[in-house]
Amino acid sequence: MLHWAMKSLWAQKATLAAGSGGVAAAFALVLLLDAVFAGESKQIVAYIHNTHPDVWVMQRGVSNMHMATSFVWDWKAERIAALPEVERATPILYLNTVIQAGTRNWFAYVVGVRPGERRAGPWSIAVGKGTTGPEEIVLPEVLARVAGLSLGDTASIANKRFHIVGLSRQTFSMANSIAFVDFDDLADLLSARGTVSYILVDAKPGHDPQALAAKITRSVEQVSALPQQVFRDNDFNMAMKMGVEIILIMTVIGTALAVLIVAFTAYSMTDARRRELALIKALGVPNRAVYSAVVMQTLTLTGLSYVMVIAAGAILLPGLERLVPQLTLEVTPSALLRVAAIAVGGAALAALIPAYQVARVDPVSAFNR
Amino acid sequence: MRLAVNELRSTPFRTLLTLAAIAAAIAVILVLRGFEQGLYAQSRSIVMSRGADLFVTQAGIHNLVAARSALPQFTRGLVEDIPGVATAHPLTGLPVIYDQDGLKTPSYLLIYDTKGGPNRITQGTAARSGNDIVLDLSLADKYGLRPGDTLTLAAFDFRITGITTGNAALFMPFLFTTYDGLIDFFLDSEIAPDLSTFPLLSYLLIELRPGADRTAVAREIEARIPEADVLTPSQLADNDAALGKELFGPVMGAMISIAYVIGGLVVALIMYADVRRRQRSFAVMKALGFSQGRITLEIGTQVLILVIIAFPMGMAIAQLMAMGIAWWAPIYRVLSLEPYGLVQTLVGLTLFAGFGALLPLRLVAKADPVTAFQDG
Amino acid sequence: MDKPVLKADHISKSFGQGHTAVRAVDDVSLAVSPGELVLIMGPSGSGKTTLLSMLGALLHPDTGRIQLGDVDITPLNERQLPRIRAERIGFIFQAFNLLDALNVEENILFPAQLVAGGAAAARPRALELMARLRLAERRHALPRTLSGGEKQRVAIARALINQPALILADEPTGNLDSQSGQEVMMVLYDIARDEGRSIIMVTHDPRVEEVADRVLWLEDGRLQKRRASPHDWTACPVCHMRVDINRMDFAAEHRGHVYRLCSSRCRERFLDDPDAFVSGSIS
């Protein structure tokens, strides 16, 4: 029966292709949104991840960077630097705001770095320099490309104009590109002279970041200190959770679509084979074997769709990211597992309609001429 | 036409399933479009609901959400001195992260004085005293918060006095408190080390005197206060909507495109199965003298009828889905029945459906009129 | 006489209810011995296919019993009957009913998976059947590439693969040209004669009568004695079309005579003015 089910499925290639294409597209809806959120969430922590200090110090009560506001007196950085476990303490100013570049606005993290400071600046430079002086800015390479800008052009934050002196890699995302400016310029923009936003703390070799964070929180008043991993996870999880509901909505929609398409495809295929089903039943194949064959067909259909969407993803994603550089996509194993579960569950559910057809096929109709 | 209608009527279960499949594809397109439109409408609505005739922002800042605007404190007095200005109401925006048991939600706190406070309050009242706060239903529902409950932001306890609806933008719920609340919040939580770093005044909401020329007043403010820009509510709302479009447009565009592809494939699948089933009928039609073009027209008519019947079904499903989403996740607004979106979806899907219907034409071409003489 | 392969006792079957009820098979009894080739003939709509369906365990009789070998299949339910069909009955259909997606060999082996040993055990027999039915060259061909005669030979091989005691054939030559039909008939005859399998065949093909062991005449659902001539012709008094007195439903009485009419329309015209039609008519 299985052999017949598979060959019969294969014999209706056009239906199979359209059906599995439709289901693959439904799966793509689920995967794409998940990939967008995972990609954006990953990019949201790109700065934290790539600068990678041992401990992050910020204003008390703050535990994130994304969408957060933090101000700490600048002398606290010196006090932290003086701790015996601390190798280095690098202060930055930070602002979530809109940059005007080219003809449009870009929502970005703007990081103010002290002159000549490389520790907290861009980690990979494509063109130009990685450090900024007054009225200079380093923008993401992708942003500059999309905005049609190059070195020497200008971009504005509020009404302040900056000259582009460098283009960085791995710093672009749709929701949070990272731009680097001079520390004092950003302090002026924030009206925040004498303060810093975050302090990146590197521990001396052999010192545990967790213990160091605890010590900083104890010994420096009104600051929070978090180990790198905790700080990164805070932002990543918050960003991912912002998308949980919409991802779930899209999963439900994608699943419903997939079930409907599989059900329709299986229904059409079964309908086209009514005569054969009557014959099969007349020859003595029990109903349960025919049901199993139908379930195998729907499973194969969803399985094929799953393979199609993964293959299409592998082929198209790199191109898509080049074509639409605003998209930062990350296909996660959990998303793939979830879609696999949808494929199996959807196939079983969708098999109900053709199973109903099978039950209604009268073997006597095999005699129809 | 009659043949196409009769064909659909003769197989009611198949027709129903077919309509359901097309309607589902339409509903998904409408919901995705509605989601995108809702996202932009939310951004616009936040600005338009503040009740200002003009907005004064920091020079170079042309957004309300996702931008940090800081105006010097003296700006309010200068603006109120300008002829045509009745009142300048202060408004401050502050991004905050609400954290309850580790579940964090980036939110936006709007601090108001005499105008610009919460609108569409569905439960409780507006903030009155220092630590009163009003929050959007999307945040309240997420954490099970109700009027009378305590809401803690950066170690400062607010008391919830009211719940609003429709005050969310770019996936962020809005909270509202008064300047009394802001000062308490600031002093108590020591959120900033120094008052000077704290954005006490982000925007001014200008209320004009009756008969005042809006353009002239705006020009005068910009002339007298170089640190400020003036925008109409529509301009500011359009900027926020445009920012939303820049942030989410590519993703939504990609997803809507996929939904169209699904719609096209569903129609292709349906028509392929249908044409395959009716191949003998087509052979008979050819034998009776129907041309390939005439049969193609019949198939096209059938697709058109299906799409036209399925469209209101899809609209109904989309509206039900929108209502379900609004009930389950009020942070999102789904405007699935916007006329422009409906027309665009109808045209787009008809085109995709037309393409889908072309695929099985090969089968029609293969229908041999001679087979009409053969036994069924 | 050997113990019958099939025995049907007073079986009846009706379809529909109330005034629309049709008694398709009415109190039919028959027994078929091993190796016997029995033909069931009769006019269209006489109940042949319904009878064949009941004998093939596809349809339950309303009354009566059917025994296949030593098994009374009448009380068996839809869970038990498929096995009986797979093991004890082979089917041959007028429309061949091959599975489009499977090739010749796979079609022949298809029923083998339903019995002990499965397709693997049946493969040598499939090869033998293909050789015997001149299908060996076509074993990998798909049904759509076969001629009508080849298709029916594949169907015959499929019916024989599980070595059933009984083969039910419904108009096996109905879709074939004269030569292919002749060939198929001879194959079936050989099977009955050489392998001792019983064959019940529904057919209109008069050539088969010569090789059949028995010919049964089914008319109006009952087995009847076959008339020398199945028709008794007269002419419709209105339009003069030829009508069969035994099968005609439209009649009208006029001046003591019963007139047979071809249709309700002619009956109405006749009743309007019978005298205009009676002269010269044959009653």
Side-chain angles (χ1 to χ4, degrees), chain C residues 4-22:
Chain C
V5 170
L6 172 84
K7 192 164 182 290
D9 282 330
H10 303 288
I11 58 172
S12 298
K13 184 77 185 175
S14 296
F15 296 107
Q17 284 180 328
H19 69 281
T20 60
V22 175

Side-chain angles (χ1 to χ4, degrees), chain A residues 1 3 276 281 366 369, chain C residues 85 94 100 106 113 170:
Chain A
M1 268 311 282
H3 182 64
E276 293 197 347
K281 286 171 95 169
R369 291 151 192 172
Chain C
R85 292 201 292 267
Q94 178 178 352
D100 290 344
E106 289 165 339
Q113 64 185 301
D170 181 34

Side-chain angles (χ1 to χ4, degrees), chain A residues 11-12 14-19 21-22 25-26 28-30 32-33 36-37 59-73 95-98 100 103-107 157-159 174-176 189-193 195 222 234-235 238 241-250 253 257 260-261 263-265 267-268 271-273 275 324 326-327 353 356-357 369, chain B residues 13-14 17-18 20-22 24-25 28 31-32 35 58-63 65-68 70 94-97 99 102-108 142 154-155 170-172 188-194 196-199 226 229 239 243 246-252 254-256 258-259 261-262 265-266 268-270 272-273 276-277 321 325 328-329 331-332 359 362 375-376:
Chain A
Q12 301 178 69
T15 311
L16 182 66
L29 270 186
V30 178
L32 179 67
L33 196 68
V36 166
F37 269 91
Q59 179 184 314
R60 197 192 69 176
V62 177
S63 55
N64 291 80
M65 190 165 188
H66 179 61
M67 304 299 289
T69 310
S70 167
F71 290 107
V72 176
W73 288 119
L95 175 66
N96 247 199
T97 193
V98 171
Q100 291 104 41
T103 54
R104 50 170 280 196
N105 293 332
W106 308 82
F107 189 58
I157 301 172
N159 250 11
M174 196 169 60
N176 284 88
L189 271 173
L190 285 166
S191 308
R193 286 278 179 177
T195 60
Q222 293 184 9
N234 279 351
D235 265 12
M238 185 175 74
K241 278 183 181 151
M242 281 179 79
V244 163
E245 285 162 335
I246 188 173
I247 288 172
L248 194 60
I249 290 169
M250 203 42 66
I253 290 174
L257 264 181
L260 203 62
I261 297 170
F264 190 86
T265 310
Y267 170 83
S268 302
D271 199 47
R273 303 266 162 183
R275 195 183 176 86
V324 191
Q326 293 96 317
L327 289 178
I353 286 183
Y356 172 71
Q357 280 174 293
R369 291 151 192 172
Chain B
F13 181 69
R14 160 179 282 277
L17 200 65
T18 303
I22 299 176
V28 171
V31 164
L32 287 174
F35 193 87
Q58 179 187 340
I61 299 294
H62 297 151
N63 292 87
V65 184
R68 185 182 187 274
L94 192 66
V96 290
I97 293 171
D99 183 354
L103 178 58
K104 299 177 177 188
T105 304
S107 312
Y108 205 74
K142 188 170 177 182
L170 304 184
F171 301 157
M172 280 193 303
D188 208 67
S189 65
E190 298 177 44
I191 195 165
D194 181 329
S196 66
T197 63
F198 203 74
D229 280 350
N239 288 346
L243 186 67
E246 278 158 8
L247 289 177
F248 301 105
V251 178
M252 296 312 298
M255 296 192 65
I256 291 168
I258 293 176
V261 170
I262 291 177
L265 281 172
V266 163
L269 187 66
I270 288 164
Y272 191 87
R276 188 185 163 93
R277 190 174 57 88
M321 285 164 76
I325 291 170
W328 182 68
I331 189 96
Y332 307 119
L359 291 180
R362 194 174 51 94
D375 283 340

Side-chain angles (χ1 to χ4, degrees), chain B residues 20-101:
Chain B
I22 299 176
I26 291 168
V28 171
I29 296 171
L30 289 178
V31 164
L32 287 174
R33 287 193 58 91
F35 193 87
E36 188 186 25
Q37 293 308 314
L39 204 65
Y40 307 151
Q42 276 181 319
S43 298
R44 287 184 58 83
S45 167
I46 285 290
V47 176
M48 301 304 283
S49 308
R50 301 282 69 79
D53 292 323
L54 289 170
F55 276 83
V56 179
T57 64
Q58 179 187 340
I61 299 294
H62 297 151
N63 292 87
L64 179 73
V65 184
R68 185 182 187 274
S69 172
L71 288 169
Q73 288 295 317
F74 59 81
T75 316
R76 185 179 182 183
L78 290 177
V79 168
E80 285 187 333
D81 285 345
I82 291 170
V85 174
T87 323
H89 305 277
L91 189 73
T92 296
L94 192 66
V96 290
I97 293 171
Y98 179 60
D99 183 354
Q100 187 180 303
D101 303 325

Side-chain angles (χ1 to χ4, degrees), chain A residues 83-85 210-220 225:
Chain A
L83 291 173
E85 298 90 344
Q210 186 111 24
L212 178 58
K215 183 172 179 181
I216 293 171
T217 308
R218 271 197 318 274
S219 55
V220 183

Side-chain angles (χ1 to χ4, degrees), chain A residues 44-230:
Chain A
I44 274 170
V45 295
Y47 182 73
I48 302 174
H49 179 77
N50 285 293
T51 51
H52 207 283
D54 294 313
V55 175
W56 288 80
V57 178
M58 64 217 83
Q59 179 184 314
R60 197 192 69 176
V62 177
S63 55
N64 291 80
M65 190 165 188
H66 179 61
M67 304 299 289
T69 310
S70 167
F71 290 107
V72 176
W73 288 119
D74 56 1
W75 50 263
K76 288 182 182 173
E78 286 155 30
R79 192 191 287 180
I80 291 165
L83 291 173
E85 298 90 344
V86 173
E87 174 81 42
R88 190 173 184 191
T90 314
I92 59 161
L93 266 174
Y94 157 82
L95 175 66
N96 247 199
T97 193
V98 171
I99 297 178
Q100 291 104 41
T103 54
R104 50 170 280 196
N105 293 332
W106 308 82
F107 189 58
Y109 284 173
V110 181
V111 178
V113 186
R114 287 196 166 145
E117 179 62 72
R118 289 189 174 274
R119 174 69 186 89
W123 51 93
S124 174
I125 286 291
V127 194
K129 58 178 189 167
T131 54
T132 49
E135 296 183 355
E136 291 180 345
I137 192 167
V138 175
L139 284 180
E141 180 192 21
V142 175
L143 188 153
R145 179 159 23 106
V146 176
L149 299 173
S150 52
L151 295 185
D153 290 336
T154 59
S156 303
I157 301 172
N159 250 11
K160 192 168 178 64
R161 285 158 72 91
F162 294 86
H163 292 279
I164 302 167
V165 294
L167 299 177
S168 59
R169 293 194 194 95
Q170 301 164 12
T171 47
F172 181 83
S173 94
M174 196 169 60
N176 284 88
S177 289
I178 307 165
F180 298 89
V181 297
D182 178 65
F183 190 94
D184 290 339
D185 280 348
L186 192 55
D188 287 344
L189 271 173
L190 285 166
S191 308
R193 286 278 179 177
T195 60
V196 303
S197 299
Y198 295 90
I199 303 165
L200 289 65
V201 180
D202 297 309
K204 281 186 177 154
H207 289 283
D208 173 35
Q210 186 111 24
L212 178 58
K215 183 172 179 181
I216 293 171
T217 308
R218 271 197 318 274
S219 55
V220 183
E221 65 272 23
Q222 293 184 9
V223 296
S224 284
L226 295 171
Q228 158 77 9
Q229 193 58 41
V230 175

